[in-house]
Amino acid sequence: MSRFNLALRLLWRDSRSGELTILVLALIIAVTSSTAISVFADRLQRTMTEQTADFLAADLVITSPELQPANWLAKAKELKLDNAQTTEFSSVLIENDEMLLASIKAVSKAYPLRGYLKVTGSDYLQEQTVHQGPKLGSAWVEKRVLSALKLKLGDALTVGEKKLIVSQILTYETDKQGDFYSFSPRVMMNDADLHATGIIQPGSHVHYFFQYRGDSKALLEFNRWLKPQLNPSQRILDIHNDRPELGSALSRAERYLGLSSIVVILISGVAIAMATRRYTERHFNATAILRCLGIKQSEILWLYGCQFMFLGLVASSIGCLLGWIAQQGLFYLLRSLLPQQGANPSWLAVFFGFIIGIAVLLAFALPPLLRLKQVSPLRVLRRELEPLPTSAWLVYGLALAIIGLLLERYTHDLKMTATILGVGLITLVLLGLLVYGILKLAAKLLPQMSLIWRFGLQGILRNTQASVSQILAFSITLVAMVLSFTVRTDLIDNWEKQLPENAANHFALNIFPEQQTAFQQDMLKNGIQHSQFYPVIKGRLVEINNTPVQQVVSKDSQGDNATHRELSLTWSKSLPEENKITGGEWWQNAQPGLVSVEQKLADSLKIKLHDQLTFTVGSQQIKATVASIRVLDWDTMKPNFYMVFSPGTLDAYPSTFMTSFYLPQTQKNVLNTLVKKYPATTILEVDVILKQFKSILTQLTQAINYLLYFSLLAGFTVLFAAVYATLDYRIQEGAIIRTLGAKRSFLTKIHLIEFGLLGLIAGLITVVISEVLIYSLYSKVMHIDYSPNYYLWLIIPIIGSLCVGLAGYSGIRHVVNQSPVSILRELSS
């Protein structure tokens, strides 16, 4: 206890003298930033996850061609889960001598469990948000049903043998999703009226959706209990697999939020390391005195370690509190963009922020502290006797280890972790050697420079190793901020490119081959922009290299879902739009018997180039050799296929065509003309899906913008920590120069030149590192098109020079005002 009391007394003395101000500030900002981002990202991701449940209308949804077993309902009741059910099927409606193929949806009383529906009356303007479906005896229809069947609100609509009163126009359906071949204008009814329609008979093609809502633990237990009972035709819906255009955006945004967290932690860690280095250097003399009084090396380490651990606990607690307040402020600022019901903050995320503070403190502060252990008692007599530097592997190893662990924790992606650490570390080492060489060459320019520039440059060259460390520290800070800003901007631009204003919002399916040319001409006549027409055949993958696919696929994987249903097979002479070859080559000649496989499905099924795949189409089998592996862009809302065959492979089988097209709201009546002329064709409207998708992107974009400010705040702490790290030396140097007759303005100018040059070199290094890391991230991890940022080569060096120069000036401006006599007396004593 006596040693602990001594540690606290020394800590109290240092705090009163201002020794720990920068260190504490850097640590608080680090913990505040990491806690705020940790809690905010956790809340945002859980809010988005909860909101994505709205796209399924429940927390858990199971699709099945059969009615729900009684034991499922019993188990759900036992676990206190709310449940609902919807039934979907297609039916031809006939009214007023008009005919329309419609998608009928019968919903139970509790539907929707999540999300909401929107309806409107005869004025078409005032939408109402409702949380229950149609009442008994009534039906809600999409607007196109009324115009196609010449109906109006209040008229009777016959579904099978049951007459229903059209009471509302359905404008928004929270869970409009599923198989493209089942979509057509929606008619929603109460499932209590379903039996009276007489439509569903044994053998009818019907999709049942069983929906559940409840506590997460109960849902997890129900999920585990249910999975073993599912047959191949039943499966659990998932937002990432069943809505890939949404799942892909959320996954990419989650990655960026994790990357933003690492950026702030890395920048703050650099500030802590610099502040701790100055602290230890100022305690060399005090430590030497303690050594003379008989304190051992291990006790020295324990003494300062206790101080820093206590300091870390206090600063981390303050940082956690401020981080909590900061994330509440973020949610308040974004209240108009975020969902009304945001997820509650997680105490686990706050605790994780606290742990990050302690871990970052140890990783970045421990190596400089270890130098105090090496202080010799002889330093009392010989002030120039410096302790040996800590070994490089420990200095960089601890920091690298903590950053690597945090990277993996935030991104859950070893590939991204290895890419950032590996490429970044190699680049840093090479650039460190390059900076060292540049400084050595710059020394030869000193004789040709004016006096002010000579003194400014000598300030950098006097301690080349320290200057290289400072330049790399500034570079890491600038790289982190540039990376955060650039990735954010390119990520948003990439999303906007994938979903421009005229992005396809309709799909035309089941177009007969003999009607394809006429259908295309009608679209051109009406000025409708469309994508390529793709022939489609339904088939099932059954064997890989003569091995049944069920023996290869992993349960609940993407491949498992794909092999338990029929796939849409197509063929094409040219590579489809938005597809990229990652393995093999696209066929040049029309050679039958070849197939190109989507990469994620190939990885899941362990399919490689030149493997032989067997498919069943109807009652027949066909074999094809894998010629290439493709990457698809699911975000574009264009037709995409897991399997694309070479021309001539599927010619013997009957097919239909599909395409996607953009149709503005003012031309919606064109759909009725097309449906009447081509009654077998199904038109799928995805306007609502696009609207929901863009809403999520808007929310995430605004959140990412605010996360960038934490990186900037942490970056400024590095600048000031670097200035104060050399403050003692600059005070002594300034006193000597002033004693020799230099004016204050001369001293100010050489400091500005020195820091400006440091910032300029750091800016140039930043551009090189940023381009290398961005290229690696885009091409290897995020799969975003890379293009060099030429404007960075001009802007970043200037910004670096100005920021570092101003920070240096603001930090040491009082140096020129100190009396040279008092400083020299202090040195002589």
Side-chain angles (χ1 to χ4, degrees):
M1 289 300 297
S2 60
R3 287 187 297 176
F4 184 70
N5 290 335
L6 175 61
L8 291 182
R9 286 201 301 271
L10 292 175
L11 182 64
W12 175 248
R13 186 195 67 180
D14 290 338
S15 63
R16 286 186 301 170
S17 63
E19 291 286 333
L20 300 171
T21 303
I22 295 296
L23 178 63
V24 172
L25 183 63
L27 183 58
I28 288 178
I29 290 177
V31 178
T32 300
S33 303
S34 59
T35 301
I37 289 181
S38 175
V39 177
F40 181 75
D42 176 75
R43 287 188 68 186
L44 184 63
Q45 290 175 15
R46 289 192 295 116
T47 299
M48 290 298 132
T49 300
E50 291 176 6
Q51 189 185 18
T52 55
D54 294 348
F55 290 98
L56 300 177
D59 296 324
L60 178 67
V61 180
I62 299 155
T63 179
S64 171
E66 306 167 357
L67 287 170
Q68 184 170 202
N71 63 328
W72 290 13
L73 291 172
K75 185 66 175 179
K77 186 176 181 181
E78 176 187 333
L79 295 173
K80 299 180 181 180
L81 297 177
D82 299 326
N83 69 88
Q85 176 178 316
T86 63
T87 306
E88 295 188 27
F89 56 92
S90 296
S91 179
V92 175
L93 305 179
I94 302 176
E95 296 290 344
N96 301 315
D97 297 326
E98 300 289 344
M99 183 174 64
L100 176 68
L101 178 66
S103 176
I104 313 298
K105 183 173 185 176
V107 302
S108 62
K109 183 179 180 180
Y111 169 86
L113 296 175
R114 296 285 186 193
Y116 50 86
L117 304 170
K118 287 185 178 181
V119 295
T120 185
S122 56
D123 56 2
Y124 299 108
L125 297 176
Q126 304 214 344
E127 286 184 321
Q128 291 181 321
T129 299
V130 295
H131 297 276
Q132 280 189 330
K135 295 181 179 179
L136 195 68
S138 65
W140 297 347
V141 301
E142 291 183 350
K143 183 179 178 182
R144 190 155 62 89
V145 174
L146 297 180
S147 58
L149 298 178
K150 298 179 180 178
L151 296 173
K152 60 181 183 296
L153 290 179
D155 288 349
L157 173 66
T158 304
V159 179
E161 299 177 2
K162 175 69 176 178
K163 285 188 178 293
L164 302 171
I165 302 300
V166 180
S167 59
Q168 297 285 353
I169 297 173
L170 183 64
T171 58
Y172 174 81
E173 186 180 347
T174 190
D175 60 333
K176 191 165 186 178
Q177 40 108 38
D179 185 356
F180 278 178
Y181 291 89
S182 66
F183 270 85
S184 44
R186 175 72 80 201
V187 173
M188 183 177 291
M189 58 183 291
N190 194 299
D191 68 347
D193 291 319
L194 186 57
H195 180 73
T197 64
I199 293 178
I200 298 180
Q201 301 294 332
S204 297
H205 186 66
V206 181
H207 291 285
Y208 295 99
F209 295 89
F210 310 125
Q211 302 159 336
Y212 304 93
R213 177 187 64 189
D215 180 71
S216 57
K217 292 183 178 178
L219 286 167
L220 181 61
E221 182 180 346
F222 184 69
N223 196 340
R224 290 173 177 171
W225 175 84
L226 188 63
K227 273 187 177 181
Q229 304 180 44
L230 299 180
N231 60 45
S233 62
Q234 299 170 328
R235 63 189 181 93
I236 298 175
L237 298 187
D238 177 76
I239 189 67
H240 291 275
N241 292 331
D242 293 278
R243 297 292 290 278
E245 75 284 355
L246 296 173
S248 174
L250 290 174
S251 297
R252 194 175 293 169
E254 289 170 6
R255 280 186 172 187
Y256 181 80
L257 292 175
L259 182 61
S260 297
S261 301
I262 300 302
V263 164
V264 174
I265 292 169
L266 179 61
I267 297 174
S268 302
V270 172
I272 291 172
M274 287 184 166
T276 307
R277 181 178 178 180
R278 178 176 187 255
Y279 174 84
T280 55
E281 289 176 350
R282 290 175 64 85
H283 281 72
F284 285 161
N285 295 336
T287 304
I289 295 175
L290 292 175
R291 291 295 310 280
C292 290
L293 295 175
I295 294 183
K296 300 178 181 178
Q297 286 184 327
S298 59
E299 292 176 332
I300 289 291
L301 185 60
W302 188 93
L303 186 68
Y304 287 105
C306 281
Q307 294 182 50
F308 269 69
M309 282 303 297
F310 183 81
L311 194 68
L313 292 173
V314 174
S316 295
S317 300
I318 296 174
C320 285
L321 178 61
L322 294 177
W324 179 281
I325 296 173
Q327 63 84 24
Q328 291 281 20
L330 284 177
F331 264 82
Y332 176 78
L333 291 173
L334 298 176
R335 64 190 183 279
S336 62
L337 295 169
L338 293 173
Q340 293 182 353
Q341 297 297 327
N344 293 323
S346 169
W347 285 106
L348 184 61
V350 177
F351 180 73
F352 183 71
F354 182 87
I355 295 299
I356 286 177
I358 300 298
V360 169
L361 177 65
L362 291 176
F364 289 91
L366 185 58
L369 276 180
L370 290 177
R371 294 192 69 191
L372 292 174
K373 180 182 176 182
Q374 305 295 331
V375 173
S376 171
L378 289 176
R379 185 176 169 85
V380 174
L381 301 176
R382 297 175 56 188
R383 293 296 180 88
E384 78 280 1
L385 191 61
E386 295 285 342
L388 295 175
T390 312
S391 58
W393 70 266
L394 182 60
V395 174
Y396 301 112
L398 281 175
L400 196 64
I402 191 66
I403 291 298
L405 290 174
L406 291 174
L407 269 173
E408 205 284 327
R409 161 64 177 80
Y410 277 110
T411 62
H412 303 289
D413 192 328
L414 290 176
K415 185 177 181 180
M416 176 182 279
T417 302
T419 299
I420 294 176
L421 291 182
V423 176
L425 186 60
I426 293 172
T427 305
L428 200 61
V429 172
L430 294 176
L431 290 175
L433 297 173
L434 178 63
V435 171
Y436 185 82
I438 291 174
L439 294 181
K440 287 298 183 182
L441 291 175
K444 298 181 179 180
L445 301 176
L446 286 176
Q448 288 78 36
M449 293 183 175
S450 63
L451 185 62
I452 294 179
W453 280 91
R454 191 183 308 165
F455 269 90
L457 185 57
Q458 280 180 336
I460 300 175
L461 299 176
R462 190 173 293 110
N463 190 341
T464 306
Q465 185 176 357
S467 296
V468 171
S469 300
Q470 279 189 324
I471 290 173
L472 291 181
F474 291 142
S475 298
I476 291 174
T477 303
L478 291 173
V479 164
M481 290 189 285
V482 169
L483 199 64
S484 180
F485 177 80
T486 304
V487 173
R488 175 199 69 87
T489 303
D490 290 346
L491 197 61
I492 295 168
D493 291 343
N494 185 259
W495 281 335
E496 291 177 348
K497 287 178 182 177
Q498 291 166 356
L499 287 178
E501 289 299 321
N502 60 345
N505 57 1
H506 293 77
F507 285 83
L509 316 167
N510 297 331
I511 305 171
F512 290 131
E514 60 272 16
Q515 297 177 331
Q516 188 258 329
T517 302
F519 191 93
Q520 186 173 5
Q521 290 175 351
D522 285 341
M523 295 183 74
L524 292 175
K525 187 186 303 182
N526 288 283
I528 300 175
Q529 301 176 0
H530 62 84
S531 65
Q532 179 180 341
F533 280 78
Y534 290 94
V536 177
I537 292 174
K538 305 294 287 186
R540 187 186 294 268
L541 176 63
V542 292
E543 291 181 352
I544 301 174
N545 294 326
N546 298 319
T547 301
V549 71
Q550 287 76 14
Q551 298 180 16
V552 178
V553 68
S554 301
K555 187 171 178 60
D556 298 325
S557 65
Q558 182 179 0
D560 187 39
N561 293 331
T563 54
H564 283 149
R565 61 184 175 89
E566 288 187 319
L567 300 175
S568 298
L569 311 179
T570 189
W571 64 88
S572 177
K573 183 177 180 180
S574 59
L575 183 67
E577 298 175 352
E578 312 294 344
N579 285 221
K580 295 181 181 179
I581 298 294
T582 59
E585 296 180 353
W586 192 257
W587 39 79
Q588 300 298 324
N589 302 317
Q591 179 185 355
L594 301 178
V595 64
S596 178
V597 186
E598 190 267 340
Q599 181 173 309
K600 290 183 179 179
L601 182 63
D603 293 340
S604 180
L605 295 175
K606 301 180 178 61
I607 295 175
K608 301 182 294 297
L609 292 175
H610 311 302
D611 283 352
Q612 189 177 65
L613 308 183
T614 304
F615 298 84
T616 58
V617 178
S619 59
Q620 301 181 37
Q621 284 193 348
I622 59 171
K623 294 182 181 293
T625 302
V626 178
S628 63
I629 306 295
R630 293 169 295 115
V631 171
L632 300 186
D633 195 347
W634 295 102
D635 300 340
T636 57
M637 301 301 289
K638 295 179 181 179
N640 281 313
F641 301 89
Y642 284 124
M643 304 287 179
V644 179
F645 291 81
S646 58
T649 308
L650 303 175
D651 287 353
Y653 305 96
S655 63
T656 59
F657 282 85
M658 71 172 296
T659 187
S660 63
F661 58 93
Y662 171 73
L663 191 66
Q665 192 69 31
T666 55
Q667 289 185 266
K668 282 288 187 177
N669 288 334
V670 174
L671 296 178
N672 294 331
T673 304
L674 291 175
V675 170
K676 288 179 180 179
K677 188 173 181 180
Y678 308 99
T681 297
T682 301
I683 303 294
L684 166 63
E685 300 179 71
V686 292
D687 306 64
V688 174
I689 294 177
L690 285 174
K691 185 178 180 181
Q692 291 172 310
F693 186 30
K694 290 183 177 180
S695 174
I696 283 186
L697 295 187
T698 300
Q699 295 169 11
L700 292 173
T701 299
Q702 294 298 322
I704 287 170
N705 284 334
Y706 281 99
L707 290 179
L708 180 62
Y709 299 147
F710 286 101
S711 300
L712 297 176
L713 180 62
F716 284 114
T717 64
V718 172
L719 298 181
F720 287 103
V723 170
Y724 279 90
T726 59
L727 187 61
D728 298 328
Y729 167 77
R730 297 183 188 283
I731 291 175
Q732 297 171 12
E733 182 186 51
I736 295 173
I737 295 177
R738 290 280 307 282
T739 302
L740 295 176
K743 296 181 179 180
R744 293 175 179 173
S745 59
F746 179 84
L747 199 59
T748 300
K749 289 177 182 178
I750 64 174
H751 286 157
L752 286 174
I753 290 173
E754 180 181 348
F755 282 102
L757 288 175
L758 285 174
L760 181 65
I761 298 173
L764 293 172
I765 300 300
T766 295
V767 177
V768 176
I769 299 177
S770 299
E771 291 291 351
V772 172
L773 287 178
I774 289 172
Y775 172 77
S776 301
L777 284 172
Y778 285 11
S779 61
K780 303 298 182 183
V781 180
M782 293 184 168
H783 304 296
I784 298 176
D785 291 335
Y786 167 81
S787 59
N789 296 301
Y790 297 109
Y791 67 91
L792 291 180
W793 291 91
L794 176 64
I795 296 176
I796 299 303
I798 295 176
I799 291 177
S801 181
L802 289 175
C803 290
V804 177
L806 292 175
Y809 173 74
S810 62
I812 63 174
R813 64 184 184 276
H814 66 283
V815 170
V816 300
N817 297 320
Q818 295 203 26
S819 170
V821 176
S822 61
I823 296 172
L824 293 175
R825 283 177 179 173
E826 182 180 347
L827 289 175
S828 62
S829 63

